[in-house]
Every structure is written in C-alpha cells, then in structure tokens.
Amino acid sequence: MTVAIGAEAAGSRGGRFETIRQTGWWSVAVAVLRRVPWVVVTVWGVSTIVFFLARIAGNPVSLLVPPEATPEQVKVTTHNLGLDASTWEQYRRFLAHAVRGDFGDSFTYQQSALGLVWDRVGATFELALSAILISILLAVPLGLVAAFRPRSIAARVGSAFATLCQSIPVFWLAPMLVLLFAVKVHIFPSSGKAGLSSWVLPAVSLALFQTGLYFRVVRATGIDFLMHDASRLVRSKGASHTRLALQHLMPNICAPLLTVIGLDLARLLGGSVIVETVFAWPGIGQLLIQAAQSHDYPVIQALVVVFAAGVVIVNMGVEAIREAIDPRSRSQA
Amino acid sequence: MTLFPGTKDAVTTTDGDTPDLAPLPVEGPVANPGAGGYRRRNYGVYLALFLFVVLAVCACIPSLLAPFDPTHQSLNDTLLSPGSRGTVTGLHLLGTDELGRDVFSRLIYGVRPLALVVLGSLALSGAFGLAYGMIAAFAPAWVGRVMMRIADIQLAIPSFVLAILLAYLIQPGVKSSVLAIAVVTWPVYARVVQADAGKLKRADYVLAARVSGLSWRQVIWHHITKNVASVFVVILTFYISVAVIIESSLSFLGYGIRPPRPDWGNMLAGGVTYINYWWLAVFPGVAVTLVILASNTLGEFARQKLDPRSSIDLGASSIHLYRRRPNRPPGASAGPSPVKAADGTTAAVLENVSISTDTGRPIVADVSVELRSGVVTAIVGESGSGKSTICLALLGLLPANLKLTEGRITVAGHRIDGAQSSELRRVRGRHLGVVFQDPLASLDPVRRIASQLGEPRVIHKLDSRKKARAWSLEKVQDLGFHDPKAVLAMHPHQLSGGMRQRVCIGIAVAAEPVVLVADEPTTALDVSVRGKVLRSLESYRVRTSAAMLLVTHEIAIVRAIADRVIVLYGGSVLEEGARASVLAAPRSPYTRALMDASVEFDPTLRGASLPTIAETVADDAAPDAAAAGCPFAPRCPRALPICTRRFPERAAVPGNDGAVWCWNPLEYGDE
C-alpha cells in the first residue's frame, strides 16, 4: 500500500472548517459600531492636545488682547475667558462645553466657532472628494497598464509621471497652474468657487500628489497579483485580459487602494489648506489661515477638532468597507 | 540492447556524504531571475547625492556661490527678468524681485534655514520616535498599546494644521518650524520602529537567541538594533522630503521663516503676489521640487539597500529554471518521434518540443508526449526537470522569459504553438483543464467559491451566470462536501487545503475538457487528504474518459493511478513506457535511482540506511549546460565516456511499448 492512498482511510478533515462569518452590509455596520469608541477617544485626545498646547505655549490672553492693552483690559479679558481659574478647572469647563459642541464664539465673525466651521466644511469636503475621484480615474487605468505590461513604454512613462506627481509641492503647483491657465491663457478662473470651471484648478492641484501614490499602489498590487498563481488559474480557465482585470484584479486592488486613500487623508486635508488659500476657496482650510492671522482662538480649536474627527471618521468608514471587500482582513481582526 | 552489462546494485550504492535526492537548486519564485538587465544602474542616486553636496556648500558658505547680498535692495533694478544686467549691480542670472534683490543669491541663502529646519526636525523627531517606538515595543503589552494609541491620536490631526497651530503659538521662525515638523512627524517613526521591533521580537532567530541564554538586553543589542536601524534610516531618508515640504509650506503660508530672511517658501509666496513676473515663482518652485525629487530618490535607494524586504522586485518571473542542455540538433540524436499522428484517441500531443529562456538556455529539450483519452500519463522527475514548464506550454501560458523554440503542441485538434491569444483562450478551460500545485495561492482570495467554481462555464458560454451557479451547487456536492451551500458562500481562506484543491479540480473540469493536467496536485497538501484529491481527479477521468497528464515527483502516486510513465531529467525524457513495466523493471539508471531514493512505507526498511542518488562528480553536479551529453551523466554510476559527449538515441524496450534513452541501460535477464 502506498502512502498517498493508504492515508486516506486515516480520515479527512473534509467536514470541519472555520466558522462562517456573516458578510454583507450587516458586517460593515458591526465594524463601524466597533470603532465608535475609538473615534470618541481620538476626538477627546485631540481636543486635550489642543487645549494643553495652548496652555504650554503661554497665556492665550497675550495673543487675544491688543499689544497696547492696559493691565485692566488684560484682567477683564482673563476673567471673561475664565483664565483666572486653575488649569484643571479650565480643562473641565472646556470639555463640558466641547461635549455640547460649544467651542466659544469667534472673535472676528461674532458667531459660534463650530457653526462657522460647519458652514465651511462642505466646500472642503467637495474639493477633497473631487480630488480623490480625479486621482482614481487617472491612477487606476495607468496603474493597470503598468501592471499588465511592466516593461512597456506606457509603464515607464507612468512611473516617471508618478514620481513627478509626488515631487511637485502643492504650494508651487497651484500658483503654476494659475500662471499657466488663468494668467497666461484665460481658460479657468484663478480663484473663488463659482461654476464648474472654478473647480478644475483647485481639484487638479490637490489631486496630483496622491495620483502618484495611488498609481504606485495599483501597479504594485497588480504586479503582485499577476505574478502569482491566482492569475494563472484564472487564465487557465480561458478568461480574457478584460475579465482578468475587471473581475479578479480590481477586487484584489480595491482593499489596499482604499487603505492608502484612508491613510493619506490627513495629508490631503493639510494640502487643502494651501490650495484653499491660493484659490480663495471658501473651505475650512482658508478659514484656518484667516483665523490664525486674526488670532481667532476658538475657531482654531474647533477647526482642529473637526479636522481630526473628519480624518478618524473617514478612516473608520474606509476600514469598514475594506473588511466588506476583503474577507481576509476580517479574519485577522 | 545494452552496450555494457551492469548490475542494478551499482546505482543504489549509498554514500554517507552525499545528500539525498534534492541537492539541486529548487525552481520557484525565490530564484533570482537569472537573466540580467532588469536592474539598471541607478544614476539618479549619484545626481541626488551631487545635489545634496551642492546644497551643503550653499548652507555652510553661501557667500561662496552667491554673487550678491540676498537682502540688498536696489530700487532701480526691480523685477528684472533672468539674465538682465542691473544698472549698478551687474548680471542677475535669475532676475530680481520686487525690491530689486537678486533671486539667485536669495535662493542660495535660502538653503541654510531650510537645512537647519530639516536636519533639526529630523534629529528631534527621529530620536524621540525611535525611543518611543522601542519603549512601546518592549514595555508590557498594555503599555505599548496605550502608547501607540496616543501616537495614533496625534496622527489624526493633519500635519499642516498642527504645524500652523504650533507656529501660531510660538514666534514663527527656525525654532517654531523645527518644533512643528518634529511634533507632526514623530508618530510615524514611532509606529515604524514599534512595528518592526515587535515583529523581530517574535522572529524565530530572536527566539532562538533567547533560548540560547542571551538576556533581552543582549538580544536587543545584537539582533534587533541592527535590523530596526536599517528600517529607521530608510524611513528617515524618505522623510527628508516630507520635512522639506512642510518647512516650505509653512514659510509659504507665513508661519515659517519670515521675510526679509530669504527662504524658498516665502520667496514663492512673494512670487505668487507678483505672478506676472514668472521667474519669481518658477525658480524657487523648481528648487524645492528638485530637492524633494532627490530625497525621494535617495529614500528609494536606501530602501533597496537596507530594507529589501519591503521593495517589490519588478520583472522577476515567478518561474525560473536553471539548467539546460545546449543546443542539440532537434531530432538528430533523439531519433524518430515516438508519437504517432493524432488519431481518434489522441487528445493532446507535444511533438519534439524544446523550450528555452530568452537568453537561449534550453529548459526542455526535444520532449514528445502523447495524451490519449482515458489514459493517465505521469511525468516524473525532480524539481527543475522541466515538468511544470511542459504543463504551462500545453496551456500556452509560458512565462515571458521562456520561449517555445521547436516542436508542435496540439490540444483537441487546436494548435497551441503560435496561436493567437484569442484562440488560446478558447482552448484553455474548455478543452484543457488544469490543477496547480498550491490551491491557496491559486484561488482568487477575495471572490467567493461560488463565483470562481463555475466561471469557466460562463467564460465558455456553456451556461448563463445563474445556471453556472446551479451547476456549482451540484458540483460541490459531487466533490464530496457536506454543506454545499455554505462552501459556495465561503472565501478560499476559510477552506482547508484539501477542500481548496478539490474546488480547484472542480474548476479544472467545469467546462468538461478532454484533457486534464494536474501539476503536482497533492504536493502542497497534508498526506491525509491526498487520497481524496486524487480520487476526485480519477473520477472525472473515469466518467468522461478524458486524457490526464499527472506531473509529480512521488513514485507512490504514479504507482497508484498512472497508466503510462515518462521520466524527465534536466529537460530531457530518459525513459517512457507502461507504468507496470517501468516501475517493475526500469531501464534508465536515473529511473532506478529515483525509485530507490523515494521512500515508501516499507517495514523492511527499518534500520536500513536510506539510498540516495550518488554524486559522482561534485556536490552540486547539476547537469552542465555546456555539456552535450546525457544530463544525468555527471551523477550516473553507469556513465560511460560517451555519455558526456552525446545524447543517446532512442532505444525501444521490447514488449512494453516504451523506450529508453541511455548508452548503458539496465538490463533484466528474463527478457
């Protein structure tokens, strides 16, 4: 009796397998709920960092009153801001207000800081989203070509383009686009948010860096997939390149791409500060610069918290979606 | 038949020093893609280093290169274009700004604040991040977790926002920029260090060092520091560009180095104000871009040198074979093809097939195989003998670096060699099903079994997608799963190895091919499930009387299910024939050695030393690519002088429908 045949009687493991997890939208909901405490902790942590940074850096009153203020004025302001209380008492009050969404009133706009931020969030969100969409539309086809034909001219051009994308700083790219397409040739408006054409330059400026990043991710995961057995089996079924790319490669690329999009979000929002400043885009990035210039402390505090909460919440969504797409990440969780 | 008589015992002489049957390099993805030329010399690194040297000079002694005082204003010479000559001053290479200051000189003087901020912040954040990450990795688990959570919280704040906040709280300048960049980047270093050190802490060799009695302190010093250091240096190099971007952005926004002190960021901000005078915005931008490009290049270089684990080796073929016989006139010495013209029972044929790498090294030489309906043909041979390459050639899926140089391949009446890819696609799956060695790697990890199993039927339009699903359910039942619905809803990683391989068999036979190829179908599986997998293969053959090609290195499997055997060594067929007679009375010394070296369960072996294939020449006596003779000659105990010079002719073995290629074959007296 031979080893191979003899052993089969010894028993197979055919009937036993890992527990099947529920999949679909329900699992996404569960994944989201599981992360809610983490979001709360992060937003609390960020508020705390912001609060104590201000205290470490010095008495905010000196920033808030005009330089020529009398000691009387300083004292009044200090009392009005509650800064004559102990640090812990101030922190307690800050948290108690922050929980209710109250970061104080803006000094320059005479309205609630959070409300002011809230009015501007939409514009930034739209800009960031359109930049991400532009990047995906550029990077995925280019990356797929580079993965399928790694030594073709298209792949080399793509790689060079990606390197360039990641090397041009947005604070230079944005003025250059203005110079070329708004000053030299009047195709697009140089600033403001009015009509579709005003979107082009800000969105493209913001999109370029992560286009290079996404391209690299798509190319690397694509090559990885195509070099391994899974793609060989698909091809041995008689599948066309189109089918291989769309039905098998794309689902495998989605998870890592989503992860990178999520991880890159904080950088993207940072870039939007510059883009909004250059193009006078009425979002929270521009508001941040204005608030910093006018020492509008409540607005800055509210902004930082909103920025951080946005990053954490989007990341939570990305992770949840990734779990729904890539079953492997679920079993590791 | 034989030229020289010999005894079969001669082959099995056991030599205590010789390794066993797997002394040769193994084919597989680990192998280096021998064919050179993929890696170009990286001139970019030299350029990047040169740029950094120039920058270092600019930062240390700017007056050496700058023609003018960067803050000297000359209101007669404002906004001069590049290359113009000022009224009093002289040539302005890159023009002047709105105050008549020389742009070129300002660029050079702008290097120093940039360098100070970048180096200062890297040192500060690197030191802090390194210490933080190491402590988090080696502290008690819960402390480490809390520490990393704190780092994560900070990462949630966009770095510009935090940097602006810091610069706003402190007086803007070099110090505030250093602090801002250090504060926003340290969590990245901490994360990388903690992850790497944590991974190393559990690495086998570190555990081995622990077991051998080294204290944690010694282990950290000897094993972990060096490894973490390389990863740390790589990430630090990459973050040069991040620091440059943040520094210039801060200056650009007015929260970094402030005018009149020259800095690329604030020069650019001025350039935006005077956007019509293009040189004011273009030159500082080009400078920043070049520096970022150079640091990225350097980072990439550092990663390739220091942390090769993380870099993807592009262009490496997943299949690599290493040794070939030199060009032998095809057919000249191998004799007439043993394969008859395809008749009604022939499902697939390889005729005098030779395959070589794109550098011209042969991998398969003059191999002919005929696959007949209902017959199981086994190709046996050790790793690297070209078995898997033959399977891929049948599929028309040879990797890019391998080429079919000679011969014809026909599957179910379709020519494979030279066929258009559209025609190949019609054959693959439909006429030819294939089962690969590693079922986990083969199945698409993110698709459910349901969509993968019936896919060939959809591709070849045998079924609609819906019908294919119904078919899959039935098929899963056939394959012996207990809960077909659950299996269809699963992803590959949820199945055991044997179950996966049965799914792969289901895929291979989905479109009812007339040829079934199984490339080492049981090698990656537990011994206990091999029988089940082989039976699934067999049952399809019995039901449809398809032809089957079984590639294996296990004699036991051959004995169990093969009808015909082809023995392959170094890309050449050395023997073929009916299974019973080849295994009972092998003619080729190699077949004999292969059989003796494969350990099958046999009580009489207890206490006996295990036979190996003798190494008569050298330890690594792989068939020499330059030799014209039999590839096995260097290891063959029966080798004759002629064996290394000429490949033997085909010699029919009487009464077994087989043949042997050997100058000095084994002989059996009773024939």
Side-chain angles (χ1 to χ4, degrees):
Chain A
M1 207 61 220
T2 61
V3 174
I5 303 299
E8 80 187 27
S12 70
R13 302 181 303 169
R16 283 201 351 242
F17 37 78
E18 300 167 40
T19 47
I20 310 161
R21 284 172 184 249
Q22 286 294 324
T23 51
W25 291 109
W26 174 244
S27 73
V28 176
V30 169
V32 168
L33 284 176
R34 218 176 44 220
R35 287 178 172 83
V36 165
W38 170 232
V39 173
V40 173
V41 168
T42 305
V43 173
W44 164 76
V46 167
S47 335
T48 307
I49 291 174
V50 172
F51 177 86
F52 282 102
L53 267 183
R55 298 306 179 274
I56 290 166
N59 189 352
V61 176
S62 60
L63 297 170
L64 297 177
V65 296
E68 66 277 4
T70 61
E72 293 295 293
Q73 283 173 302
V74 171
K75 206 171 174 189
V76 170
T77 315
T78 309
H79 183 74
N80 286 348
L81 292 170
L83 293 174
D84 46 359
S86 74
T87 308
W88 287 110
E89 174 60 20
Q90 288 178 42
Y91 180 59
R92 198 192 59 74
R93 281 188 215 157
F94 166 74
L95 279 189
H97 285 103
V99 164
R100 279 172 274 154
D102 179 9
F103 289 89
D105 283 351
S106 159
F107 299 145
T108 38
Y109 293 89
Q110 313 304 330
Q111 58 165 307
S112 115
L114 194 67
L116 192 64
V117 173
W118 207 241
D119 292 341
R120 305 279 205 110
V121 159
T124 298
F125 180 75
E126 288 164 14
L127 186 63
L129 200 66
S130 42
I132 290 177
L133 279 179
I134 290 174
S135 300
I136 290 175
L137 288 179
L138 273 172
V140 170
L142 275 175
L144 283 181
V145 168
F148 267 100
R149 298 262 178 277
R151 265 164 270 176
S152 66
I153 292 174
R156 280 161 206 259
V157 170
S159 300
F161 175 66
T163 310
L164 205 62
C165 282
Q166 290 188 288
S167 298
I168 299 179
V170 64
F171 59 84
W172 186 49
L173 177 70
M176 282 300 107
L177 290 180
V178 171
L179 179 64
L180 289 175
F181 298 107
V183 177
K184 296 277 174 202
V185 191
H186 301 279
I187 305 178
F188 302 110
S190 64
S191 67
K193 183 192 177 205
L196 206 60
S197 65
S198 69
W199 284 68
V200 177
L201 294 186
V204 168
S205 318
L206 198 53
L208 206 63
F209 181 92
Q210 74 258 17
T211 303
L213 188 69
Y214 299 174
F215 170 85
R216 283 168 187 274
V217 173
V218 171
R219 186 189 56 180
T221 45
I223 285 177
D224 199 44
F225 180 80
L226 291 173
M227 261 173 41
H228 283 93
D229 297 1
S231 73
R232 205 169 56 178
L233 182 68
V234 173
R235 295 188 67 192
S236 82
K237 289 171 176 178
S240 61
H241 273 99
T242 322
R243 188 182 190 88
L244 179 63
L246 296 183
Q247 305 246 337
H248 294 276
L249 190 49
M250 276 312 293
N252 275 281
I253 285 175
C254 275
L257 186 60
L258 263 177
T259 310
V260 169
I261 292 176
L263 287 175
D264 191 49
L265 192 74
R267 192 207 53 75
L268 180 73
L269 286 178
S272 75
V273 174
I274 288 171
V275 171
E276 289 178 10
T277 306
V278 171
F279 292 100
W281 190 264
I284 54 176
Q286 192 198 30
L287 182 65
L288 178 74
I289 298 298
Q290 288 168 350
Q293 271 160 1
S294 56
H295 290 199
D296 202 340
Y297 194 70
V299 174
I300 291 179
Q301 220 160 29
L303 271 170
V304 174
V305 172
V306 166
F307 264 121
V311 170
V312 186
I313 289 170
V314 171
N315 264 320
M316 176 180 74
V318 163
E319 274 182 57
I321 294 171
R322 195 189 59 187
E323 283 195 6
I325 295 175
D326 188 348
R328 285 168 300 180
S329 62
R330 204 167 16 218
S331 351
Q332 287 156 12
Chain B
M1 281 308 288
T2 41
L3 296 169
F4 298 93
T7 61
K8 74 176 190 179
D9 291 335
V11 180
T12 57
T13 310
T14 313
D15 185 335
D17 289 330
T18 52
D20 63 12
L21 189 61
L24 300 170
V26 181
E27 69 181 56
V30 232
N32 192 4
Y38 292 152
R39 192 157 292 169
R40 285 170 301 148
R41 187 171 271 279
N42 199 346
Y43 291 108
V45 174
Y46 297 115
L47 281 176
L49 283 174
F50 176 72
L51 182 67
F52 278 114
V53 169
V54 172
L55 288 177
V57 173
C58 292
C60 297
I61 24 176
S63 54
L64 191 73
L65 294 166
F68 300 104
D69 179 350
T71 51
H72 176 76
Q73 303 180 2
S74 167
L75 296 177
N76 290 327
D77 301 317
T78 55
L79 297 167
L80 292 177
S81 59
S84 21
R85 201 163 267 285
T87 46
V88 266
T89 42
L91 181 71
H92 295 285
L93 201 59
L94 302 181
T96 59
D97 65 8
E98 72 279 7
L99 295 173
R101 296 173 298 192
D102 183 55
V103 171
F104 182 57
S105 304
R106 286 180 69 74
L107 271 183
I108 286 171
Y109 275 89
V111 175
R112 184 177 281 177
L114 179 72
L116 282 177
V117 169
V118 169
L119 293 179
S121 62
L122 283 183
L124 197 61
S125 60
F128 187 72
L130 182 64
Y132 195 91
M134 285 300 253
I135 292 170
F138 289 98
W142 70 270
V143 176
R145 258 204 306 279
V146 169
M147 285 176 79
M148 294 330 289
R149 283 300 194 188
I150 292 173
D152 281 351
I153 287 176
Q154 210 213 287
L155 277 180
I157 311 178
S159 48
F160 282 169
V161 175
L162 193 55
I164 288 170
L165 189 69
L166 282 167
Y168 154 77
L169 293 167
I170 313 164
Q171 195 59 32
V174 171
K175 268 185 228 154
S176 78
S177 294
V178 167
L179 193 67
I181 296 171
V183 166
V184 301
T185 52
W186 74 265
V188 177
Y189 307 123
R191 269 237 147 272
V192 169
V193 167
Q194 185 262 351
D196 208 60
K199 208 165 56 197
L200 286 168
K201 200 166 74 169
R202 289 181 297 275
D204 287 346
Y205 68 93
V206 171
L207 291 180
R210 282 288 288 161
V211 170
S212 71
L214 290 175
S215 71
W216 262 125
R217 186 179 303 190
Q218 286 166 311
V219 170
I220 290 175
W221 183 246
H222 287 291
H223 294 285
I224 295 182
T225 309
K226 275 183 213 153
N227 283 289
V228 172
S230 62
V231 177
F232 180 66
V233 168
V234 169
I235 193 83
L236 212 57
T237 322
F238 266 113
Y239 264 68
I240 294 175
S241 65
V242 174
V244 169
I245 292 178
I246 300 180
E247 194 276 345
S248 326
S249 305
L250 284 176
S251 301
F252 177 79
L253 291 170
Y255 291 95
I257 316 297
R258 290 199 154 162
R261 193 166 179 192
D263 177 275
W264 296 356
N266 68 39
M267 287 173 73
L268 202 50
V272 173
T273 318
Y274 292 85
I275 193 80
N276 280 309
Y277 306 95
W278 58 268
W279 58 92
L280 294 182
V282 167
F283 294 123
V286 169
V288 177
T289 304
L290 282 179
V291 172
I292 295 168
L293 204 59
S295 14
N296 283 341
T297 309
L298 221 56
E300 196 60 46
F301 178 74
R303 182 167 69 176
Q304 275 171 14
K305 286 284 168 218
L306 296 173
D307 188 23
R309 284 169 296 174
S310 63
S311 63
I312 293 171
D313 194 4
L314 300 184
S317 157
S318 58
I319 293 174
H320 172 64
L321 301 141
Y322 49 95
R323 62 194 144 79
R324 348 295 74 205
R325 253 159 351 93
N327 303 326
R328 164 161 58 89
S333 54
S337 159
V339 178
K340 290 182 257 28
D343 57 29
T345 60
T346 301
V349 161
L350 288 100
E351 290 171 87
N352 306 102
V353 166
S354 295
I355 298 167
S356 56
T357 63
D358 46 12
T359 52
R361 292 182 305 164
I363 281 161
V364 168
D366 201 17
V367 167
S368 298
V369 177
E370 183 187 21
L371 302 176
R372 291 184 210 188
S373 300
V375 174
V376 180
T377 307
I379 296 185
V380 290
E382 54 197 74
S383 304
S385 57
K387 300 171 302 196
S388 299
T389 308
I390 290 173
C391 293
L392 293 176
L394 261 174
L395 282 165
L397 274 180
L398 283 175
N401 62 336
L402 297 184
K403 269 203 303 283
L404 187 78
T405 49
E406 304 273 352
R408 290 159 61 100
I409 301 175
T410 315
V411 172
H414 298 264
R415 277 290 288 275
I416 298 297
D417 50 300
Q420 296 285 317
S421 62
S422 59
E423 195 179 334
L424 285 175
R425 287 205 291 270
R426 279 198 292 277
V427 175
R428 285 181 205 143
R430 182 68 187 92
H431 300 299
L432 183 75
V434 62
V435 179
F436 292 110
Q437 178 171 340
D438 184 351
L440 180 58
S442 295
L443 292 168
D444 187 332
V446 305
R447 308 290 306 268
R448 288 171 206 285
I449 300 299
S451 75
Q452 298 193 47
L453 186 56
E455 196 179 12
R457 297 186 74 81
V458 180
I459 292 172
H460 297 290
K461 300 193 169 61
L462 300 180
D463 277 336
S464 66
R465 197 175 289 207
K466 208 170 161 191
K467 273 175 137 183
R469 199 163 275 261
W471 175 90
S472 300
L473 193 64
E474 212 170 292
K475 188 73 210 172
V476 170
Q477 237 153 0
D478 279 1
L479 290 167
F481 288 94
H482 297 300
D483 189 353
K485 280 217 174 90
V487 169
L488 285 183
M490 282 193 218
H491 289 93
H493 72 281
Q494 294 169 306
L495 299 173
S496 73
M499 295 163 87
R500 282 183 212 124
Q501 194 60 300
R502 279 184 284 151
V503 168
C504 285
I505 291 171
I507 292 171
V509 304
E512 286 155 23
V514 292
V515 181
L516 186 57
V517 174
D519 184 0
E520 306 252 14
T522 58
T523 307
L525 304 181
D526 284 354
V527 171
S528 55
V529 298
R530 289 181 177 185
K532 216 164 189 170
V533 166
L534 287 174
R535 247 197 332 246
S536 300
L537 282 170
E538 262 294 89
S539 76
Y540 177 75
R541 182 189 65 87
V542 169
R543 190 163 56 80
T544 61
S545 81
M548 190 161 130
L549 179 67
L550 179 73
V551 170
T552 182
H553 62 263
E554 287 173 85
I555 300 292
I557 291 170
V558 175
R559 207 186 290 286
I561 64 170
D563 299 309
R564 284 185 67 77
V565 179
I566 292 172
V567 180
L568 202 65
Y569 185 82
S572 286
V573 177
L574 296 187
E575 181 165 13
E576 69 166 313
R579 181 250 299 160
S581 50
V582 170
L583 293 190
R587 297 294 171 141
S588 165
Y590 175 65
T591 315
R592 176 81 257 165
L594 192 64
M595 287 175 62
D596 290 337
S598 54
V599 183
E600 294 179 39
F601 178 70
D602 181 355
T604 63
L605 278 180
R606 177 176 287 182
S609 60
L610 294 178
T612 61
I613 294 187
E615 301 284 358
T616 54
V617 174
D619 263 5
D620 54 347
D624 182 4
C630 171
F632 188 56
R635 299 168 78 195
C636 182
R638 294 168 62 84
L640 305 170
I642 191 172
C643 289
T644 56
R645 289 200 307 273
R646 264 186 77 193
F647 191 78
E649 305 272 334
R650 175 178 197 268
V653 175
N656 118 12
D657 189 22
V660 64
W661 286 259
C662 185
W663 291 115
N664 189 11
L666 298 159
E667 212 169 1
Y668 294 89
D670 54 348
E671 280 174 11

